[in-house]
Amino acid sequence: MLTAIDVRSLSRSYAGNPGFGRKSGKKDFVALTDVDLKVEVGEIRGLLGPNGAGKTTLMKILSTVLLPTRGEVEILGHDVVREAELVRRRIGIVFGGERGLYGLLTARENLDYWAAVYGVPAGRRKQHVGGLLDRLGLGDRAETQVDKMSRGMKQRLHLARGLVGSPELLFLDEPTVGMDPVAARQFRALVQELRDEGMTILLSTHDMQEAEAVCDKVTLIDRGRVVGTETPEGVGRWITGFERVDAQHVPDEVRRRVVSLPGVRDAEDLPDGWVRFDTTEQGAVSPVLESLISAGVTAIRTSLPSLEDVYVTVIGDRGLGV
Ligand code: ADP
């Protein structure tokens, strides 16, 4: 198997401010610590983590936008520092935000410009750009000025821009933030298409469902460290394995009985007389519900924890280090 992304012991700090003024004395901030990551050619890898985890920093280093502080990074066999130019020719980048599109130009003019930058020959440019616009569902908006587009449309245009150089490896940073559900679904279908064409994709998201829908594997990142790499089903199982049951007005003795059931971690008091029972394994919820119902408790609800909750509990318990 060929390796598309090979990261070894990567660390990155943002400089503090040792000088004068209000922010003086601020220490360096370590955004990534000892990150190891390997992604094979043709793989769609998710980078999943809460806000501030270090996803964008990692993406920027892999795409030569930012320099590493320490460690080695090879993209398609090229070093991101010494061979940045070679790396750039073979990758596409789609970062969030508005940068990289010219608001006063139309969708077509923007892509035309970027196609020229990426060296698409003038004779092929029209067809190439037209094809991309159609593919991203922007065919009938080709002559619309970017400033007049909705956020979702701009997002698709960003994606088209990332594909303009026919990259082998595509970096997508939170690509569906701001897209409506229909556009997000279309986007996922497009990612599957690109996969079928053999493209490698690294996609950062804080949305579990997105990761589950499109990724072959998911790398979890938290506070600048890689916590582990799992299949999306594996991560999904973590979440459903930690289902919780909330119940109202639970007598003390029933509460004790429920907590003693296998796979029930503890009981926590919530406002308004609700008690939350946290479970730690698949299948633990049914006996909890049975106990509560047979004791005459009627106000019961179940819920799934957020990804952040799972990080704190599962990851902490697994000893993978947060
Ligand atoms: P994510 O993409 O997962 O939300 P980021 O990579 O954007 O995370 O940020 C990781 C951490 O680094 C955050 O705590 C953020 O505040 C910090 N950070 C990001 N960019 C800078 C910068 N230019 N200067 C200082 N700190 C930064």
Side-chain angles (χ1 to χ4, degrees), residues 47-48 55 59 94-97 136 150-159 170-192 201-215:
L47 205 55
L48 188 65
K55 303 182 295 295
M59 287 268 198
V94 182
F95 286 157
L136 274 296
S150 70
R151 190 160 171 206
M153 269 189 253
K154 282 187 204 162
Q155 207 93 4
R156 280 185 270 163
L157 188 57
H158 267 296
L159 198 54
L170 186 62
F171 293 99
L172 299 173
D173 194 18
E174 305 263 356
T176 54
V177 170
M179 275 189 196
D180 63 61
V182 176
R185 207 164 45 233
Q186 284 168 347
F187 161 80
R188 289 174 190 171
L190 174 72
V191 169
Q192 298 293 357
I201 300 178
L202 183 69
L203 175 150
S204 86
T205 179
H206 59 256
D207 178 350
M208 259 304 303
Q209 266 141 14
E210 179 159 297
E212 219 166 332
V214 299
C215 299

Side-chain angles (χ1 to χ4, degrees), residues 14 29 31 50-57:
Y14 288 107
F29 180 80
N51 280 331
K55 303 182 295 295
T56 303
T57 303

